Amino acid sequence: MRDHAYVDALAEQHIAKLIAHLPPWAGNAIRWIRRPAARWVRMPVAICLIPGGVFGFLPVLGLWMLPLGLILLGVDVPIIRHGMHRFINWLAERRPQWFQ
């Protein structure tokens, strides 16, 4: 069994690789909102994205909003963070081409 520090560090590396695949404007926005000082903006954005993902059947909203909201919420909530980090590491094992 891997310890939390290893799982977290590996997941952060995977997240950085995913962000690198984004267009520059989106990658910069995600990096900015994940900074510790941006908590005051990250929490409301995450809380708005999660219900938006649930209503993904509507034209403007999409299922993509749910995992993004959980990832942003996980930056501040340890229980969610550990679960999302485990999921990201699992995904990296199943789809390594996404993380190159």
Side-chain angles (χ1 to χ4, degrees):
M1 189 77 177
R2 298 177 183 167
D3 64 357
H4 290 292
Y6 178 77
V7 171
D8 292 346
L10 186 60
E12 287 299 324
Q13 290 175 0
H14 292 317
I15 291 170
K17 289 177 183 178
L18 287 175
I19 292 171
H21 288 292
L22 295 173
W25 64 269
N28 291 337
I30 295 295
R31 276 189 284 282
W32 180 84
I33 204 165
R34 292 188 80 231
R35 291 183 357 225
R39 182 178 187 187
W40 61 274
V41 96
R42 181 175 50 249
M43 293 296 285
V45 168
I47 291 169
C48 290
L49 283 170
I50 292 170
V54 172
F55 295 109
F57 59 88
L58 297 173
V60 175
L61 307 175
L63 189 59
W64 61 270
M65 298 171 83
L66 181 62
L68 181 59
L70 288 172
I71 288 171
L72 290 177
L73 195 59
V75 172
D76 297 311
V77 180
I79 293 172
I80 296 173
R81 179 184 325 121
H82 184 65
M84 289 307 296
H85 282 175
R86 288 183 52 203
F87 174 72
I88 288 168
N89 290 336
W90 176 85
L91 191 61
E93 290 176 8
R94 302 299 183 278
R95 302 277 189 239
Q97 67 274 14
W98 293 0
F99 297 86
Q100 294 177 355

